[in-house]
Amino acid sequence: MSARPGMLRRSVEGGCIIIDGKTVIYGIIGHPVRHSFSPAMHNAALREAGLNGVYVPFEPPPELLPEALAGIRALGIAGLNVTVPYKEAVMPYLDELAGDAVLYGAVNTVVNHRGRLVGHNTDGPGFIRALREDHRYNPAKGSALVFGAGGSARAVAVALARAGCPELALVNRRVERAEALARVIFEATGIKVRVFKWDSAGSDLADFARRAALLVNCTPVGMAGKADADFPLPEALPGKGQLAYDLVYNPPLTPFLNRAARSGAEIANGIGMLLHQGALSFEIWTGRAAPLEVMRRELYR
């Protein structure tokens, strides 16, 4: 199995990809992962680029994660995406953390450089690309309110701060976790981050939400199969002139986005972030520009 993408060969019958000894293996690792849209997106990208590669899902149980990472190294799997719950858990088993992976506190992309596993994070940059390219939104133009303080919220909040967001706030049930993230962001970027409790009854959160240009849900609230818990301060949810962004993309229209749309806000779900972080991963693995429109079309299909 080659560590460098070869050119694609197709069979005479039906134009099917021939998997041979030069086929490069990519994939996604998570638990569960069968629901992921990434295989369809990346296999379409590999076909469009004419690369002899295939992208498959891997779902090792948590207790076998170390063995799974060793298997990736031993089998020569060229690259991986990493999804929940392994974005932080894989880090001790990698040989190197590249770019901002340490600052983001998570890895969502792994490259196998001849047996040396290097971790990257494309979630934060992918989110900023989605804002700029899909919504013509400049993160430096106004305040942002982020719901959550977990791994996804950290990627979003750090990326916003680094992109020049002038005023940033976090809303979370566990205030101490949000405060810890606020300290990380301040130390890395110099941006002070306000913290609000999820069930805050005060007016400060409502005031901040009303003047925020961007509101981002980084929690699983509204995700398919999850209880539709409400957001704090419904009267302060997005309205005209605001962008409401939900990282959840299944279902495509969450309760949060429904309320925002009824109030006149622009809305977006997480499919754009999925697209752009995936495109960045593709570029890291192959050294080629990602066929973005093909990937977008496959995701929406």
Side-chain angles (χ1 to χ4, degrees), residues 76-292:
I77 292 170
L80 281 181
N81 283 133
V82 185
T83 189
V84 292
Y86 296 145
K87 290 187 179 186
E88 297 175 19
V90 300
M91 295 173 77
Y93 305 106
L94 304 179
D95 299 299
E96 182 183 343
L97 297 176
D100 292 333
V102 175
L103 176 57
Y104 285 116
V107 162
N108 80 318
T109 303
V110 176
V111 185
N112 184 354
H113 289 296
R114 298 180 181 179
R116 183 174 178 80
L117 302 185
V118 181
H120 300 253
N121 190 303
T122 67
D123 279 335
F127 175 71
I128 298 299
R129 270 198 187 184
L131 290 180
R132 287 178 169 154
E133 297 184 17
D134 298 345
H135 303 283
R136 299 296 183 264
Y137 179 88
N138 178 3
K141 85 171 193 177
S143 305
L145 179 62
V146 176
F147 294 92
S152 296
R154 178 167 176 157
V156 165
V158 169
L160 285 169
R162 300 198 76 185
C165 178
E167 191 179 24
L168 187 59
L170 304 172
V171 187
N172 200 51
R173 287 186 174 88
R174 290 177 53 198
V175 173
E176 63 277 8
R177 185 169 190 179
E179 289 173 341
L181 176 53
R183 287 193 294 271
V184 168
I185 294 170
F186 177 72
E187 290 169 2
T189 68
I191 300 294
K192 290 185 178 180
V193 181
R194 298 185 66 179
V195 173
F196 299 105
K197 192 174 180 181
W198 185 273
D199 58 356
S200 173
S203 62
D204 287 349
L205 174 54
D207 290 342
F208 191 98
R210 289 190 188 101
R211 72 171 186 270
L214 173 69
L215 295 94
V216 189
N217 174 35
C218 299
T219 78
V221 172
M223 184 180 291
K226 299 283 186 181
D228 288 340
D230 207 349
F231 280 80
L233 298 171
E235 71 277 11
L237 283 176
K240 291 180 180 179
Q242 294 180 305
L243 172 60
Y245 201 108
D246 200 325
L247 298 196
V248 173
Y249 59 84
N250 184 19
L253 197 59
T254 63
F256 174 62
L257 295 183
N258 260 319
R259 304 183 81 140
R262 288 197 301 268
S263 300
E266 181 184 353
I267 63 172
N269 65 30
I271 204 80
M273 178 176 174
L274 178 66
L275 168 67
H276 289 285
Q277 64 80 24
L280 288 167
S281 296
F282 182 92
E283 291 165 8
I284 289 170
W285 294 328
T286 68
R288 298 188 180 202
L292 194 66

